[in-house]
Amino acid sequence: MKSVQIREHGGYEALQIVDLPKPEAGTGQVVVQIKAAGMNHLDTWVRRGIPGMKLPLPMIPGADGAGIVEQVGAGVSGVQKGDRVFVAAGLSCGRCERCLSGWESLCREFGIIGEHCNGTQAEYALLPAANVLPLPEPLSFEEGAAFPLVFLTAWHMLVARAGVRPGDQVLVHAGGSGVGSAAIQIARLHGARVIATIGSREKIDKVKALGAEEAINYREADFLEEVRRLTGRRGVDIVFDSIGQETWDRSLKALARGGRLVNCGATSGYQGTTDIRYLFSRGLSILGSTMGSRSELLTISRMMAGRQLRPVIDRVLPLEKIAEGHRAMAERTLFGKILLRP
Ligand SMILES: [Zn+2]
């Protein structure tokens, strides 16, 4: 089968297109014929390597995907050959107190498909049966590969961690990113007012179409000044952040009293500076978040089927053009998700 494979960490040349044997489903596993695979910022870390963390190599990257079940291994129930499915990328033990209370991403054994084991960017993916969920009928394979990881991440951040509620004002950093375009919709769905930051003028209308009331071009204006202006110097209740270092200090200053900064990543670097005086005197909360639960993913897939939430697809590339997708993520010249067609 045709597959992307990373044998050594590095630049775009590390993304090799190779011919691998088609996988066979073992006990508790399924093989899915991938119709569309999603790309995520995580893929760039898997390609480059993560300082201080040893990732298994060689690796087939890709956390998101949708397709048709091709083969079912022994001991699998509830999944059949021919089922339309999407991939739930979280790996966890399923037995510990965290898993059993719906906080799988806090499991000691937590991992992500395409980072800790082979992923979806291939013609076929070998997956634990627990990691495929039914793809609701109205959704295309491309839609099924576009929404899971980013919507789950954004939902868990805003709903489970930051407790978004009607009337909240929410600043969404990188509103044009996969996770940002999900966050705008989820915050709106919960009755919040959304201010989004974007890096180019062409993205203004696009984030407004998703539900942002205001868009700040961070290349032309200081987002902290703009947030103060747009909120009458009050600040926002929630800052939704995946940027990290570059915006950290100003994000904390953009919060209203009692505000929450919720973070799921550090695309600009991971050494943020916190002025602790702001933290205690203004009653701020800093919340970390990673992925979410399968239960949340089922809720999201139902809302996708009902079109209350919509995946945002930037482009679909043939598998061979994967480097173009990595470049677009690095240069932030995308709006929403990039998909690969094996
Ligand atoms: Zn567990």
Side-chain angles (χ1 to χ4, degrees):
M1 67 165 185
K2 187 169 61 178
S3 176
V4 179
Q5 194 180 50
I6 295 168
R7 290 172 178 163
E8 281 178 61
H9 297 301
Y12 301 130
E13 77 290 345
L15 302 160
Q16 306 226 330
I17 305 293
V18 297
D19 190 23
L20 297 175
K22 186 176 158 186
E24 290 285 326
T27 302
Q29 295 177 320
V30 295
V31 172
V32 176
Q33 184 191 12
I34 297 292
K35 297 289 191 180
M39 296 186 64
N40 288 287
H41 210 91
L42 172 68
D43 301 7
T44 64
W45 293 109
V46 173
R47 169 174 59 79
R48 284 149 53 194
I50 300 174
M53 202 170 146
K54 190 163 166 49
L55 300 177
L57 290 176
M59 174 68 66
I60 301 171
D64 280 325
I68 297 171
V69 175
E70 165 88 2
Q71 195 195 6
V72 177
V76 173
S77 60
V79 185
Q80 290 181 335
K81 182 173 158 59
D83 283 357
R84 283 164 36 94
V85 294
F86 69 92
V87 175
L91 300 163
S92 62
C93 79
R95 294 179 303 276
C96 73
E97 57 190 301
R98 297 296 187 194
C99 286
L100 294 170
S101 61
W103 289 80
E104 289 120 271
S105 55
L106 299 181
C107 175
R108 287 180 68 127
E109 293 176 27
F110 187 75
I112 301 177
I113 286 169
E115 182 184 17
H116 300 99
C117 71
N118 279 334
T120 57
Q121 292 167 4
E123 285 180 293
Y124 295 91
L126 177 64
L127 301 164
N131 288 84
V132 297
L133 294 174
L135 180 65
E137 194 49 56
L139 298 182
S140 68
F141 291 117
E142 287 172 0
E143 289 174 312
F147 82 82
L149 191 133
V150 289
F151 272 85
L152 178 58
T153 300
W155 184 283
H156 192 70
M157 289 170 76
L158 286 170
V159 181
R161 299 293 280 138
V164 64
R165 26 180 204 262
D168 275 350
Q169 303 195 65
V170 180
L171 175 68
V172 174
H173 277 303
S177 66
V179 77
S181 58
I184 293 169
Q185 295 181 61
I186 293 164
R188 278 298 301 141
L189 189 71
H190 287 82
R193 177 199 189 204
V194 178
I195 301 169
T197 71
I198 34 96
S200 72
R201 287 180 190 178
E202 305 84 75
K203 294 181 183 174
I204 293 175
D205 289 343
K206 292 180 179 175
V207 292
K208 288 190 172 176
L210 294 177
E213 188 177 305
E214 303 286 348
I216 301 168
N217 184 342
Y218 64 80
R219 294 186 205 275
E220 293 181 349
D222 178 59
F223 78 83
L224 177 57
E225 292 300 316
E226 286 297 291
V227 165
R228 285 177 172 160
R229 184 178 68 79
L230 292 166
T231 60
R233 305 202 68 76
R234 175 185 178 276
V236 291
D237 302 286
I238 297 172
V239 173
F240 179 98
D241 179 43
S242 58
I243 309 288
Q245 185 168 316
E246 194 177 301
T247 50
W248 189 259
D249 177 44
R250 284 176 294 154
S251 289
L252 286 168
K253 289 180 175 159
L255 286 172
R257 288 169 187 272
R260 294 87 82 195
L261 169 59
V262 62
N263 173 277
C264 69
T267 57
S268 70
Y270 34 81
Q271 300 292 348
T273 304
T274 300
D275 185 332
I276 296 167
R277 293 170 301 175
Y278 271 82
L279 195 66
F280 66 77
S281 69
R282 301 173 71 90
L284 307 181
S285 302
I286 297 175
L287 305 165
S289 191
T290 191
M291 301 275 289
S293 71
R294 213 163 276 144
S295 155
E296 290 170 303
L297 198 48
L298 287 168
T299 302
I300 294 162
S301 76
R302 196 173 63 242
M303 304 197 100
M304 288 280 161
R307 302 300 185 190
Q308 290 143 296
L309 295 171
R310 286 174 185 276
V312 180
I313 297 172
D314 177 89
R315 73 193 88 167
V316 183
L317 300 170
L319 200 65
E320 293 80 359
K321 294 245 172 101
I322 185 171
E324 181 186 324
H326 276 249
R327 192 170 288 116
M329 285 196 289
E331 295 170 358
R332 301 185 189 177
T333 53
L334 75 175
F335 190 87
K337 302 286 297 174
I338 298 180
L339 302 180
L340 298 170
R341 195 184 296 119

